[in-house]
Amino acid sequence: MKFSIIADFYEKIEETSKRLEMTDLLVQLFRETPTELIDKVVYLTTGRLYPLFIPIELGLAEKLAVRSVAMASGHKVSEVEEKLKKVGDLGLVTEQILKTKKQRSLQQKPLEVLDVYETLDKIAKASGAGSVEAKLKLLSRLLLDGTPKEAKYIIRMVIGALRLGIAEYTILDALAITYTGDKENRAILERAFNISSDLGLVAKTVATKGLEAVKNFKISVGSPIRMMLAQRLSSPEEILEKMGGRCAVEYKLDGERVQAHKNNGEVNLFSRRLENITEQYPDIAELIKNNIKPDRAIVEGEIVAIDPQTGELLPFQTLMRRRRKYGIKEAVEEFPASLNLFDVLLVDKTDYTTKPYTERRKKLEEIVKKNERIKSVEAKIVENAQDMESFFEKAIEEGCEGLMAKSTQPDSIYEAGSRGFKWIKYKREYKTEMIDTIDTVIVGAFMGRGKRAGTYGALLVAVYDQEKDMFTTISKVGTGFSDTDLQEMPERLKKYKIDHKHPRVDSKLKPDVWFTPGQVIEIIGSEYTLSQVHTTALGAIKKDSGIAVRFPRFTGKWRDDKSPEEATTVKEIIEMYQAQIKTQPKTQKENSDS
Ligand code: AMP
C-alpha cells in the first residue's frame, strides 16, 4: 500500500467540515487497506504507532524535526525556523519548502506505508549515544523520498501533532461498516475495545478473523480496561431514587485515577487516558507489588498527594507536579502520595468486572495489606438521604471533593468505558449557590490586546455532546490565568492549531484561532444562563437558545489526564441547569430566562 493513499485521505479528512463525512472517508481508507496492514493504518490515524498504553511514542522535539527538514531540503536551519515562526505549523512549512525543491529523481520509488511505519518505529525507539543523529538521518530519508504532501503528514506524526481529531468511536463505526457491512456491529467492536483499549488489535481481529473472534475478547493483565465513569446528580434524594432506594457511598477523592496491573513482580499503572504512567509513580508501583496479596490482579484507585507530617490530603494541583519526565526521584520525596483503592477487576484468573459491586468490594478488602500509604476508600451503605448527607459532610471535612454513590443492585457490574447511572457523583459545589466546576475542551482562541498582546486574550471552550459526538461551545474564558499560563498558552496549544473550524465543533462564534479538540481545562462560573451565542443544549430548554456559563474563570487545572471525550457532557449541563432553576428564587429564574 502506497503512503500517498493515506496522505490523500488525511487531506480530505482535514478539509471536511462535516462530522459524518469523516466516517465515510475512513471507510474508504480502510477499504483500500490490505488486512495485514489495518492495525498499523489505524494506529497511524490516531497519531501513534502503538496503542496508548504502550509507552513508545513519536513526539520528536520540534527543533530536531526542523534540522531534519533543513537537511532534506538543503535549506539553512535558520531559514526553516524563520518560516516556522510565520506559519506556525511545521507540517505546512515542510510542504511549502519541499515544493520549491528541485525535481525528484525519476527512479525514486514511491513511499510504502510499511516503510514509513517501520522507519517511524525506529525513530521512536532509538535511544542512547548517537541516537539523535540516527533519528535525523532516518527522518530526512523519509522526507526526501516522499512527496511534499506526504512529508507534511510525516512531520506532523513525528512531532506528535497530526491533529485530525478523529474519535475512537468514529474509527469503530468505520471498522464495523468496512468489515461487517453493518454499523450496528459497532457495539460488539466497542466492547472488545473497552476491555482491551487496543483499536489496532480490534481492527486486525475483525479484518482477519471476523466478528466471532472479536466476541471472544477477554480482559488480561497488561492491557488496560477503559475506565467506568460516573454521571452526576445534585441531591441525595435524586441519587437514591435512581439507585432503587439503597446504594453504597464512597469518599470521592481529588487526585489521579489509576488502574494498576500486577503480574507477579511486574506492575503497570495506567491513567484514565490509558497512558502508562508507571514511571511517574515508582512509589505507587512498589505499594502494589508489596501490598496486593495475589500474584495477578487488576485494581483501581485514586492517587492522592498527602502531607507526610499530618497525613492530610492535598489538592490535585500538588499531585500534578508529579507528572514529569525528569527528576522523578526528587518529586517522589517532595510530593509524597497515597493510594486509595475502590475497585477490583481481576484476581488470578477470575474476571471480576462481571460481578456486582458488593462482591468486588468484599474481594478488595481481602486482597489489600493496608498501611498509611495504601488503603481502600471509606465506604458505607445508605438507605436514606439523611445518612448520605451526613457521610457527605464527613467526607468534605476530611478534604474530599464529595461522594461517589455506587449501585449495589445485582446488575452493578463494572461497565468498562461507560458513563452510566451505576456510579453517580455528588460534589460539594452543588451545595453552595456556585455552580460546580466543569471540564471543558479548548476549541478556539481570541488574540489578546494590550498586556496580553502576543498571546491569547480568551479561550473558546466546549463541552461534549455524547449523542452527536460533537463539541458545543459553552463559554469564552479570559480570567483566572496566571502570567505563566498566559505566556505558555500559545506553545501548549500549538499542536492543536488548525486553520478552520474542526468538523466536530459546533460554534456560532468565530475565534481568531481554531483548535482540534484536545486540551481539557477546568472552569467555574457563577451560574448557568441561557445564551444566544453558545451552542450547548441548543433548543433543549428554550427555542434558539443554548446554555452558557456566566462569569467563567479558569480554576488553574489543566486536565491533562482527561481526553476531550471525558469532558463534561451536554446532558450533565442540562441537568445542572435544571437543578439551578429549581433552587433559584423566581425573580432570578426570570432573569436568566431573558
Ligand atoms: P469526575 O472526574 O468529576 O468525572 O469524577 C470521576 C473521578 O473521580 C474518577 O475518574 C476518579 O478519578 C475519581 N474518584 C475519586 N474517588 C472515587 C471513588 N471512590 N470511586 C470512583 N472514582 C473516584
Side-chain angles (χ1 to χ4, degrees), residues 229-230 250-257 272 302 342 377 401 404 406 419 423 425 427 439 559 562:
L229 301 171
E250 296 180 350
Y251 279 10
K252 183 175 191 304
L253 301 146
D254 187 17
E256 172 160 24
R257 173 118 168 231
R272 46 186 288 171
E302 192 86 351
F342 52 72
V377 298
E401 265 189 313
M404 265 293 192
K406 297 187 175 176
R419 186 193 288 280
W423 285 12
K425 54 192 168 191
K427 292 214 266 184
D439 296 318
R559 294 300 309 240
K562 289 200 172 181

Short mmCIF file of all heavy atoms in Angstrom, two decimals, residues 229-230 250-257 272 302 342 377 401 404 406 419 423 425 427 439 559 562, ligand 1:
data_model
loop_
_atom_site.label_atom_id
_atom_site.label_comp_id
_atom_site.label_asym_id
_atom_site.label_seq_id
_atom_site.Cartn_x
_atom_site.Cartn_y
_atom_site.Cartn_z
N LEU A 229 -17.07 5.31 34.20
CA LEU A 229 -17.21 6.70 34.61
C LEU A 229 -18.56 6.92 35.30
O LEU A 229 -19.41 6.03 35.32
CB LEU A 229 -17.08 7.62 33.40
CG LEU A 229 -15.75 7.52 32.66
CD1 LEU A 229 -15.79 8.28 31.35
CD2 LEU A 229 -14.60 8.03 33.52
N ALA A 230 -18.74 8.12 35.83
CA ALA A 230 -19.94 8.38 36.63
C ALA A 230 -20.79 9.48 36.03
O ALA A 230 -20.30 10.38 35.35
CB ALA A 230 -19.51 8.80 38.03
N GLU A 250 -19.12 6.25 48.66
CA GLU A 250 -17.69 6.23 48.96
C GLU A 250 -17.18 7.66 48.95
O GLU A 250 -17.72 8.51 48.25
CB GLU A 250 -16.94 5.44 47.89
CG GLU A 250 -17.31 3.98 47.83
CD GLU A 250 -16.53 3.24 46.73
OE1 GLU A 250 -15.87 3.90 45.91
OE2 GLU A 250 -16.60 2.00 46.73
N TYR A 251 -16.10 7.90 49.67
CA TYR A 251 -15.44 9.20 49.58
C TYR A 251 -15.00 9.42 48.14
O TYR A 251 -14.50 8.50 47.50
CB TYR A 251 -14.19 9.23 50.47
CG TYR A 251 -14.46 9.48 51.94
CD1 TYR A 251 -15.76 9.46 52.45
CD2 TYR A 251 -13.41 9.74 52.80
CE1 TYR A 251 -15.98 9.71 53.80
CE2 TYR A 251 -13.63 9.98 54.15
CZ TYR A 251 -14.92 9.96 54.65
OH TYR A 251 -15.14 10.19 55.97
N LYS A 252 -15.19 10.64 47.64
CA LYS A 252 -14.66 10.97 46.31
C LYS A 252 -13.42 11.84 46.51
O LYS A 252 -13.51 12.99 46.95
CB LYS A 252 -15.68 11.72 45.47
CG LYS A 252 -15.18 12.02 44.07
CD LYS A 252 -16.26 12.66 43.22
CE LYS A 252 -15.88 12.71 41.76
NZ LYS A 252 -14.63 13.37 41.47
N LEU A 253 -12.28 11.25 46.24
CA LEU A 253 -11.01 11.94 46.49
C LEU A 253 -10.57 12.72 45.27
O LEU A 253 -10.89 12.35 44.14
CB LEU A 253 -9.95 10.90 46.85
CG LEU A 253 -10.33 10.09 48.10
CD1 LEU A 253 -9.83 8.67 47.98
CD2 LEU A 253 -9.78 10.76 49.33
N ASP A 254 -9.83 13.79 45.49
CA ASP A 254 -9.42 14.66 44.40
C ASP A 254 -7.97 14.40 44.03
O ASP A 254 -7.06 15.06 44.48
CB ASP A 254 -9.59 16.11 44.85
CG ASP A 254 -9.35 17.10 43.73
OD1 ASP A 254 -9.38 16.67 42.56
OD2 ASP A 254 -9.12 18.28 44.01
N GLY A 255 -7.78 13.38 43.21
CA GLY A 255 -6.42 13.04 42.82
C GLY A 255 -6.41 12.52 41.41
O GLY A 255 -7.16 13.01 40.57
N GLU A 256 -5.57 11.55 41.14
CA GLU A 256 -5.49 10.98 39.81
C GLU A 256 -5.91 9.51 39.85
O GLU A 256 -5.39 8.73 40.64
CB GLU A 256 -4.07 11.12 39.26
CG GLU A 256 -3.91 10.37 37.95
CD GLU A 256 -2.73 10.81 37.11
OE1 GLU A 256 -1.77 11.35 37.67
OE2 GLU A 256 -2.79 10.58 35.88
N ARG A 257 -6.84 9.17 38.98
CA ARG A 257 -7.31 7.80 38.92
C ARG A 257 -6.22 6.91 38.34
O ARG A 257 -5.53 7.29 37.40
CB ARG A 257 -8.54 7.75 38.00
CG ARG A 257 -9.06 6.37 37.69
CD ARG A 257 -10.44 6.22 38.21
NE ARG A 257 -11.16 5.06 37.75
CZ ARG A 257 -12.38 5.12 37.22
NH1 ARG A 257 -12.94 6.30 36.98
NH2 ARG A 257 -13.03 4.03 36.93
N ARG A 272 -6.34 7.50 33.42
CA ARG A 272 -7.67 7.34 32.82
C ARG A 272 -7.65 7.54 31.32
O ARG A 272 -8.55 7.11 30.62
CB ARG A 272 -8.74 8.19 33.51
CG ARG A 272 -8.39 9.59 33.80
CD ARG A 272 -9.48 10.23 34.60
NE ARG A 272 -10.67 10.46 33.79
CZ ARG A 272 -11.82 10.85 34.28
NH1 ARG A 272 -11.97 11.01 35.56
NH2 ARG A 272 -12.84 11.09 33.49
N GLU A 302 -7.50 5.87 43.56
CA GLU A 302 -7.15 7.26 43.34
C GLU A 302 -5.81 7.55 44.04
O GLU A 302 -5.66 7.25 45.23
CB GLU A 302 -8.27 8.13 43.93
CG GLU A 302 -8.22 9.57 43.56
CD GLU A 302 -8.91 9.90 42.23
OE1 GLU A 302 -9.30 8.97 41.47
OE2 GLU A 302 -9.03 11.09 41.93
N PHE A 342 -10.55 1.56 45.24
CA PHE A 342 -12.01 1.44 45.31
C PHE A 342 -12.59 0.34 44.43
O PHE A 342 -13.79 0.12 44.44
CB PHE A 342 -12.70 2.77 45.03
CG PHE A 342 -12.27 3.48 43.76
CD1 PHE A 342 -12.65 3.00 42.53
CD2 PHE A 342 -11.50 4.63 43.84
CE1 PHE A 342 -12.28 3.67 41.37
CE2 PHE A 342 -11.11 5.30 42.69
CZ PHE A 342 -11.50 4.80 41.44
N VAL A 377 -10.89 3.05 50.00
CA VAL A 377 -11.57 4.30 50.37
C VAL A 377 -12.73 4.00 51.32
O VAL A 377 -13.34 2.93 51.27
CB VAL A 377 -12.11 5.10 49.15
CG1 VAL A 377 -11.01 5.53 48.24
CG2 VAL A 377 -13.15 4.31 48.40
N GLU A 401 -13.68 15.68 47.75
CA GLU A 401 -14.48 16.51 46.87
C GLU A 401 -15.97 16.31 47.09
O GLU A 401 -16.79 17.12 46.68
CB GLU A 401 -14.23 16.05 45.43
CG GLU A 401 -13.19 16.79 44.68
CD GLU A 401 -13.23 16.34 43.23
OE1 GLU A 401 -13.29 15.13 42.96
OE2 GLU A 401 -13.22 17.20 42.37
N MET A 404 -19.02 9.44 45.92
CA MET A 404 -19.35 8.65 44.75
C MET A 404 -20.39 7.65 45.22
O MET A 404 -20.11 6.83 46.11
CB MET A 404 -18.14 7.84 44.31
CG MET A 404 -17.33 8.47 43.26
SD MET A 404 -18.25 8.53 41.72
CE MET A 404 -16.91 8.98 40.67
N LYS A 406 -22.61 4.41 44.53
CA LYS A 406 -22.46 3.26 43.63
C LYS A 406 -23.60 2.27 43.83
O LYS A 406 -23.96 1.94 44.97
CB LYS A 406 -21.11 2.58 43.87
CG LYS A 406 -19.97 3.54 43.52
CD LYS A 406 -18.60 2.91 43.57
CE LYS A 406 -17.56 3.92 43.11
NZ LYS A 406 -16.19 3.43 43.19
N ARG A 419 -20.32 5.65 30.86
CA ARG A 419 -20.69 6.66 31.83
C ARG A 419 -22.19 6.51 32.07
O ARG A 419 -23.01 7.10 31.38
CB ARG A 419 -20.38 8.05 31.27
CG ARG A 419 -20.60 9.18 32.27
CD ARG A 419 -20.59 10.52 31.56
NE ARG A 419 -19.27 10.93 31.10
CZ ARG A 419 -18.34 11.46 31.89
NH1 ARG A 419 -18.59 11.65 33.16
NH2 ARG A 419 -17.18 11.82 31.39
N TRP A 423 -22.82 4.52 38.74
CA TRP A 423 -21.99 5.37 39.60
C TRP A 423 -22.50 6.80 39.44
O TRP A 423 -22.66 7.27 38.31
CB TRP A 423 -20.51 5.35 39.15
CG TRP A 423 -19.75 4.11 39.49
CD1 TRP A 423 -20.26 2.92 39.94
CD2 TRP A 423 -18.33 3.93 39.37
NE1 TRP A 423 -19.24 2.02 40.11
CE2 TRP A 423 -18.05 2.62 39.76
CE3 TRP A 423 -17.28 4.76 38.97
CZ2 TRP A 423 -16.75 2.10 39.77
CZ3 TRP A 423 -15.99 4.25 38.96
CH2 TRP A 423 -15.73 2.92 39.38
N LYS A 425 -21.83 10.82 40.89
CA LYS A 425 -21.03 11.68 41.77
C LYS A 425 -21.90 12.76 42.38
O LYS A 425 -22.85 13.25 41.77
CB LYS A 425 -19.82 12.25 41.03
CG LYS A 425 -20.11 12.97 39.77
CD LYS A 425 -18.82 13.23 39.00
CE LYS A 425 -19.16 13.71 37.58
NZ LYS A 425 -18.07 13.75 36.68
N LYS A 427 -21.07 16.22 44.42
CA LYS A 427 -19.93 17.05 44.81
C LYS A 427 -20.33 18.25 45.64
O LYS A 427 -21.46 18.70 45.60
CB LYS A 427 -19.16 17.50 43.55
CG LYS A 427 -18.48 16.35 42.84
CD LYS A 427 -17.18 16.76 42.21
CE LYS A 427 -17.33 17.16 40.77
NZ LYS A 427 -16.05 17.47 40.13
N ASP A 439 -15.38 20.41 33.27
CA ASP A 439 -14.22 20.19 32.43
C ASP A 439 -14.58 20.52 30.99
O ASP A 439 -15.52 19.94 30.44
CB ASP A 439 -13.77 18.73 32.53
CG ASP A 439 -13.30 18.41 33.93
OD1 ASP A 439 -12.59 19.24 34.52
OD2 ASP A 439 -13.66 17.34 34.45
N ARG A 559 -6.41 19.89 32.73
CA ARG A 559 -6.74 18.49 32.95
C ARG A 559 -6.06 17.62 31.88
O ARG A 559 -6.72 17.05 31.01
CB ARG A 559 -8.26 18.28 32.93
CG ARG A 559 -9.01 18.94 34.07
CD ARG A 559 -8.58 18.48 35.46
NE ARG A 559 -8.57 17.05 35.64
CZ ARG A 559 -9.28 16.38 36.52
NH1 ARG A 559 -10.10 17.02 37.32
NH2 ARG A 559 -9.18 15.07 36.62
N LYS A 562 -7.32 14.08 31.22
CA LYS A 562 -8.61 13.76 30.59
C LYS A 562 -8.54 13.92 29.06
O LYS A 562 -7.93 14.87 28.56
CB LYS A 562 -9.71 14.66 31.13
CG LYS A 562 -10.09 14.34 32.55
CD LYS A 562 -11.46 14.87 32.92
CE LYS A 562 -11.84 14.33 34.28
NZ LYS A 562 -13.15 14.75 34.73
P1 AMP B 1 -15.01 13.31 37.56
O1 AMP B 1 -13.55 13.40 37.21
O2 AMP B 1 -15.53 14.52 38.29
O3 AMP B 1 -15.87 12.89 36.41
O4 AMP B 1 -15.17 12.13 38.65
C1 AMP B 1 -14.77 10.83 38.39
C2 AMP B 1 -13.43 10.57 39.02
O5 AMP B 1 -13.48 10.62 40.43
C3 AMP B 1 -12.89 9.20 38.76
O6 AMP B 1 -12.33 9.07 37.49
C4 AMP B 1 -11.85 9.04 39.86
O7 AMP B 1 -10.63 9.60 39.41
C5 AMP B 1 -12.36 9.94 40.96
N1 AMP B 1 -12.73 9.23 42.19
C6 AMP B 1 -12.42 9.63 43.43
N2 AMP B 1 -12.90 8.81 44.37
C7 AMP B 1 -13.55 7.82 43.73
C8 AMP B 1 -14.27 6.67 44.16
N3 AMP B 1 -14.44 6.36 45.46
N4 AMP B 1 -14.79 5.87 43.20
C9 AMP B 1 -14.65 6.17 41.90
N5 AMP B 1 -13.98 7.25 41.44
C10 AMP B 1 -13.44 8.08 42.34
#
